[in-house]
Amino acid sequence: MKSSYSHVLMLIGAILAFVPIIAVDHLLDAYVAYRERAVAHQYVETVSSHIDASIMDGVSALRSVIADSPSLCAPTFVTNAQAAIDRGLNLKQFLVENLDGVQYCDAYGRIVDYSPLSQPLPVPGLTETITVVKFADMGMPALKITQTFGEMRRVSVFVPLLGQSETSLTQSMRNAGMMRVTLTSGMPILTIGDPAGFDGRSSNSDYINAEKFAGQFPIKVETAVPFVMVRAGYADLDVIFTIIACVVSAAFLLFSLGYVRRSRVPAFDLERAIARNEIKPYYQPVINLRTGELMGCEVLCRWEKRNGQVIPPGAFIDYAEVTGLAIPMTVSLMEQVRNDLGELCKTMPDLKISINLFEGHFRDGGIVEDVQAIFGGSSISYRQLVFEITERRPLANSLATTGVISGLHALGAKLAMDDAGTGHSNLAYLATLGVDVIKIDRIFVDMIKPGTTQVPVLDGLIAMAKDLDCEIVAEGVETEAQALYLRSRGVVQAQGYIFAPALRVAAFKELAMALHMATQPAPQLAIPTASAA
Ligand code: CA
Ligand code: CA
């Protein structure tokens, strides 16, 4: 429970460390999709440019045959047509017919066996039309490219849609993939593989697909393959990626462990520091403004690391409070205080030691027993102890709270309201808690500037403390003007830099003894009599 915070951080680190492994699948999916989409685009690009080139060949052959032949169906025309077929890679036939389809002549002097599969399609920018046809016994559809010649005749050239056979196209296709050529009207003219799965897909991410038009022609080429099928082809890469991810994860885990260990955030080893008594009490003297006597001290703390670094409490107190470590920390501090100041308290039985408590102490309740266990039977008496509760975080008005307060009172210790004026203080609240001392926060003391004759807020606070019959300690006294003003308002006790900062035990004891000697009447010396020999 105490160190649950650092455990949570460790857990988060461990989970983060495995992110690469978890992400492998995702990364590999993205990689496969990216690679395969490029492949699909390349494929439709190739097929569509074939179709484009094939049609353009046909168009230019048709035009040159017509241009070179003075009259259609004359021997020159036939010779030119045959020569064009010989030259061209893909030209199959030339045909002259009338508008009703009655054939006049062709390149080889026989009936041309074809049947249209589509309407003649106009092509933007060309005078020719294109008709998809079944030509002779070709398995693949062919294209009939036609020029209307005068009012009566049409001259056409036949070109296969694609130079390859259907078998070779099927072989080049991915397992379960499909390729389809359609007219822009949506009419399919060539389909390789089964497009049903693709057409009925529920999500676009299930398929890798691409499409492209054949140049300016109203013909679209598309291809698609189920993602799972291509993904299966990357199984080897899957293994490699997973190994890399494991290595990255392990590295990250080691790095975060190292970070946790080396971290300058005190969080991770505060618990150990408390166990090793690295949280040291520092003592800030409380001085009597009238006599200059030492009245007591407030126990503050510093984290003295083994490497010599000294960390002020601001860097770890909040963390200690949130995590519950404030409770063992206070125990450790009280034990050190007992060892540090036991002797001094015998010499100065009126010295008051002020110890800061946390809100958690008033819920936990164990503090009363801790105080008894530590100070019971020690040379520090309970009535020398003052426990400070901060006003910044008001205590719950609960049975546990009143139990702790009355328990401490019953021992003879006093209670101080720390940082008074900064929270929600009102007379009723303070009166319910039954505090004995009010510590006026430094922000009010700071309001006293040289030459100030009154500080209404501060004066009000002092008056309130007096009404409650509380002792007053002013905190953060830094200038002579402040000390004098406070004294003039009847404040007797003060702490602050004008007197001393928080001191290590040795320095504090030295100061305490020096002040003690200075303010004590000189001891009566025993004067030896002359007769004593
Ligand atoms: Ca305090
Ligand atoms: Ca304070």
Side-chain angles (χ1 to χ4, degrees), residues 298 388 392 418-419 439 441 475:
E298 177 178 355
E388 299 189 4
R392 292 185 207 270
D418 201 359
D419 312 318
K439 298 193 76 172
D441 194 80
E475 290 188 302

Side-chain angles (χ1 to χ4, degrees), residues 260-282 300-320 323 325 329 332-333 336 504:
V260 165
R261 212 174 297 131
R262 275 179 287 105
S263 178
R264 299 196 50 208
V265 180
F268 302 104
D269 35 26
L270 182 60
E271 189 174 13
R272 198 177 47 185
I274 292 167
R276 288 171 171 178
N277 283 345
E278 285 176 22
I279 311 298
K280 293 281 177 216
Y282 274 55
L300 298 167
C301 64
R302 300 282 185 276
W303 181 349
E304 292 186 352
K305 290 199 159 187
R306 291 192 166 183
N307 62 12
Q309 194 186 1
V310 178
I311 299 176
F316 59 89
I317 283 292
D318 283 346
Y319 173 77
T323 52
L325 286 172
M329 189 179 82
S332 160
L333 284 171
Q336 296 181 76
R504 278 205 172 86

Side-chain angles (χ1 to χ4, degrees), residues 503-525:
L503 301 168
R504 278 205 172 86
V505 61
F508 174 70
K509 274 157 82 172
E510 228 167 84
L511 177 79
M513 289 317 294
L515 287 172
H516 185 65
M517 302 308 279
T519 50
Q520 287 296 303
Q524 296 296 309
L525 294 175

Side-chain angles (χ1 to χ4, degrees), residues 298-300 354-357 388-390 418-419 439 475 495:
E298 177 178 355
V299 178
L300 298 167
S354 211
I355 294 165
N356 289 284
L357 294 185
E388 299 189 4
I389 55 185
T390 181
D418 201 359
D419 312 318
K439 298 193 76 172
E475 290 188 302
Q495 62 188 74

